[in-house]
Amino acid sequence: QVQLVESGGGSVQAGGSLRLSCAASGFSFSVYYMGWFRQAPGKQREFVAATSGIGRTTIYSDSVKGRFTVSRDNAKKTVYLQMNTLNPEDTAVYYCARGSTSATKVAAAYDYWGQGTQVTVSS
């Protein structure tokens, strides 16, 4: 069965960096877009970034563009989110999700989700 397991979350001070990982199993990893979303307390889940099956195409939300980088290693069936210059507004639970074969920022288009990893940024 499809499984997505995130890791790498934690607490960091503003201006710091973290790298999240999402290990996938149970499907043909390189076929699918993989996305990252986040949800802060009291807010809706929002799109962060996504990468195409072979990593050639990446898309980002405006709020993280230039600070975050999404990448993938298909041999390891893992997708990464490198987060730099973090600020307190980035505090949220971060989720990875399996998309389809086309780029989208719409959560409903992602069919499998990990359990999430907490990122806390203090000022």
Side-chain angles (χ1 to χ4, degrees):
Q1 70 277 25
V2 174
Q3 284 193 320
L4 300 172
V5 180
E6 302 98 335
S7 61
S11 297
V12 65
Q13 289 194 326
S17 299
L18 282 174
R19 188 175 85 152
L20 306 183
S21 300
C22 173
S25 61
F27 64 99
S28 297
F29 183 69
S30 62
V31 170
Y32 295 89
Y33 268 80
M34 294 297 297
W36 287 96
F37 290 75
R38 67 186 182 186
Q39 188 166 18
K43 295 187 176 181
Q44 288 191 329
R45 190 169 299 189
E46 66 170 345
F47 172 80
V48 175
T51 176
S52 61
I54 58 172
R56 183 172 296 170
T57 300
T58 55
I59 54 175
Y60 296 92
S61 69
D62 288 344
S63 62
V64 308
K65 196 174 298 182
R67 300 188 298 122
F68 291 11
T69 302
V70 61
S71 63
R72 65 193 296 160
D73 183 334
N74 285 348
K76 295 182 178 179
K77 296 187 177 182
T78 300
V79 60
Y80 304 98
L81 185 67
Q82 177 66 44
M83 306 185 294
N84 297 329
T85 319
L86 285 160
N87 60 62
E89 290 69 40
D90 296 315
T91 295
V93 178
Y94 283 71
Y95 300 88
C96 75
R98 188 183 79 167
S100 62
T101 56
S102 58
T104 179
K105 299 180 179 181
V106 178
Y110 292 77
D111 57 359
Y112 287 93
W113 295 77
Q115 82 289 349
T117 186
Q118 176 71 47
V119 171
T120 303
V121 184
S122 58
S123 57

